[in-house]
């Protein structure tokens, strides 16, 4: 049974998001017809829209079902992202136990701690205990060839794909005065903001992009896309303040923080991809690449947003 209170503001926001997806699908269909199906940009746009239908449906169903379903969805996403990351990362047979600990000890325990709301251990389990345990397992394999790089890749993957991403559903454990039972809406606000920021930066970049932001990391990102997408996202954040415990100004400020951290997370993960000789993390999500291509912005944004809200607004 659901264990969240779904407020009228949240339900109205969901209805608005559904209307936006319907409109996007109609526009995509019209553009496809006008291009005669020959435009690669339009084809990519429609693939992204279809993927968004699936992702939004999965997220809303999970949120409606409750805490356990939501945590399971994010845990599965972390597993797939970690799999993509370490599939691209060079490893050796001597890394077996380090990889085993990452996939089958660190990841499930991190999300179990989240599920039982044990904040103290959740916050330090991976960066303190698993860092030491995985490094020790790597050392005990006694393979010193490229040891630092191999071990660092596994630990970095765990921090990004599991530790960083797990702080998004960790918002469900926050109990904000005057907002009791509505933590699901805070998670929706964060997820919507970080994802719509990517969408709007893509749209503004396609429409107005001229100057490259970081051409060696992400050739498609432009300053115009960043600025236009960021401003539009901040405005949407203020408009969505009803599903947060904040007023319009604070909601806009926190949306700006999400955008800034999300951009940095995306650029860092793009640098990792380039260093591994890959364009995308995978091909599991049509039009988007892999799971990590959708979660890259969350890796930096979620922990900062979680701790800012927890420090300033929870009892």
């Amino acid at each position: 049974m659901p264990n969240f209170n779904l407020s009228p503001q949240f339900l109205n926001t969901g209805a608005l998001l559904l209307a936006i997806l319907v409109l996007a699908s109609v526009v995509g269909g019209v553009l496809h017809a006008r291009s005669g199906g020959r435009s690669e940009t339009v084809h990519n746009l429609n693939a992204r829209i279809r993927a968004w239908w699936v992702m939004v449906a999965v997220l809303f169903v999970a949120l409606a079902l409750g805490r356990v379903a939501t945590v399971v969805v994010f845990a599965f996403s972390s597993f797939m992202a970690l799999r993509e990351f370490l599939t691209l990362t060079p490893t050796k047979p001597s890394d077996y136990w380090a990889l085993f600990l990452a996939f089958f000890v660190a990841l499930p325990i991190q999300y179990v701690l989240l599920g039982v709301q044990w904040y103290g251990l959740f916050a330090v389990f991976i960066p303190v205990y698993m860092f030491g345990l995985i490094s020790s397992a790597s050392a005990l394999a006694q393979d010193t060839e490229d040891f630092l790089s191999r071990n660092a890749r596994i630990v970095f993957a765990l921090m990004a794909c599991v530790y960083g991403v797990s702080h998004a559903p960790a918002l469900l454990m926050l109990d904000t005065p005057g907002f009791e039972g509505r933590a699901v809406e805070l998670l929706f606000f964060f997820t919507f903001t970080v994802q719509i920021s990517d969408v709007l930066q893509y749209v503004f970049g396609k429409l107005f992009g001229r100057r490259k932001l970081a051409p060696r990391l992400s050739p498609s990102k432009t300053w115009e896309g960043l600025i236009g997408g960021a401003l539009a996202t901040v405005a949407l954040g203020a408009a969505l303040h009803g599903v947060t415990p904040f007023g319009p100004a604070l909601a806009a400020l926190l949306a700006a923080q999400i955008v800034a951290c999300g951009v940095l997370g995306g650029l860092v993960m793009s640098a990792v991809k380039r260093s591994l000789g890959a364009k995308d993390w995978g091909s599991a999500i049509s039009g988007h690449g892999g799971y990590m291509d959708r979660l890259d912005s969350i890796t930096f944004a979620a922990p900062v947003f979680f701790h800012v809200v927890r420090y300033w607004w929870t009892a």
Side-chain angles (χ1 to χ4, degrees), residues 8-78:
Q9 295 97 319
F10 177 72
L11 297 176
N12 290 338
T13 302
L16 176 61
L17 183 56
L18 176 63
I20 292 172
L21 285 173
V22 170
L23 177 61
S25 296
V26 171
V27 170
V30 171
L31 292 175
H32 177 78
R34 287 185 174 180
S35 69
R38 293 184 295 271
S39 172
E40 185 63 29
T41 299
V42 172
H43 176 75
N44 181 264
L45 174 64
N46 283 321
R48 285 172 175 257
I49 292 170
R50 288 191 295 271
W52 272 111
W53 273 103
V54 176
M55 290 187 287
V56 168
V58 169
L59 178 62
F60 265 88
V61 168
L63 294 178
L65 288 176
R67 187 186 311 277
V68 173
T70 304
V71 170
V72 168
V73 166
F74 275 93
F76 174 77
S77 299
S78 277

Side-chain angles (χ1 to χ4, degrees), residues 184-266:
V184 62
E185 298 179 37
L186 193 59
L187 173 56
F188 169 78
F189 173 81
F190 169 79
T191 307
F192 177 81
T193 302
V194 75
Q195 295 296 335
I196 201 65
S197 172
D198 285 348
V199 173
L200 291 173
Q201 287 177 51
Y202 174 82
V203 171
F204 275 90
K206 287 294 184 182
L207 292 175
F208 308 110
R210 295 292 183 273
R211 292 170 293 179
K212 300 294 184 181
L213 176 63
R216 294 181 62 183
L217 301 182
S218 185
S220 63
K221 291 186 181 297
T222 64
W223 281 104
E224 292 81 4
L226 171 61
I227 295 170
L231 292 175
T233 301
V234 169
L236 282 172
L240 289 174
H241 73 277
V243 296
T244 74
F246 322 118
L250 275 175
L253 184 62
L254 287 168
Q257 173 260 302
I258 292 171
V259 171
C261 292
V263 169
L264 292 175

Side-chain angles (χ1 to χ4, degrees), residues 73-283:
V73 166
F74 275 93
F76 174 77
S77 299
S78 277
F79 178 87
M80 295 301 292
L82 186 63
R83 179 176 175 271
E84 290 173 347
F85 194 115
L86 292 175
T87 297
L88 290 179
T89 302
T91 56
K92 300 176 65 177
S94 55
D95 295 320
Y96 173 82
W97 284 110
L99 294 171
F100 179 88
L101 289 169
F103 277 100
F104 302 112
V105 176
L107 190 154
I109 291 180
Q110 179 74 358
Y111 278 95
V112 167
L113 293 172
L114 170 56
V116 300
Q117 302 189 61
W118 189 350
Y119 167 75
L121 190 52
F122 165 85
V124 301
F125 177 65
I126 288 178
V128 176
Y129 296 102
M130 292 311 302
F131 168 71
L133 189 57
I134 288 175
S135 299
S136 299
S138 296
L140 290 173
Q142 301 187 67
D143 183 354
T144 59
E145 183 181 356
D146 201 28
F147 172 81
L148 180 59
S149 296
R150 289 180 8 247
N151 186 68
R153 290 186 192 110
I154 296 171
V155 173
F156 185 94
L158 193 60
M159 286 294 295
C161 304
V162 181
Y163 188 73
V165 173
S166 68
H167 277 76
L171 291 166
L172 299 178
M173 73 170 71
L174 298 183
D175 190 20
T176 308
F179 205 68
E180 293 83 356
R182 294 176 60 188
V184 62
E185 298 179 37
L186 193 59
L187 173 56
F188 169 78
F189 173 81
F190 169 79
T191 307
F192 177 81
T193 302
V194 75
Q195 295 296 335
I196 201 65
S197 172
D198 285 348
V199 173
L200 291 173
Q201 287 177 51
Y202 174 82
V203 171
F204 275 90
K206 287 294 184 182
L207 292 175
F208 308 110
R210 295 292 183 273
R211 292 170 293 179
K212 300 294 184 181
L213 176 63
R216 294 181 62 183
L217 301 182
S218 185
S220 63
K221 291 186 181 297
T222 64
W223 281 104
E224 292 81 4
L226 171 61
I227 295 170
L231 292 175
T233 301
V234 169
L236 282 172
L240 289 174
H241 73 277
V243 296
T244 74
F246 322 118
L250 275 175
L253 184 62
L254 287 168
Q257 173 260 302
I258 292 171
V259 171
C261 292
V263 169
L264 292 175
L267 290 175
V268 168
M269 299 312 292
S270 291
V272 175
K273 278 191 300 186
R274 302 304 175 205
S275 73
L276 297 173
K279 179 180 180 293
D280 294 315
W281 287 105
S283 57

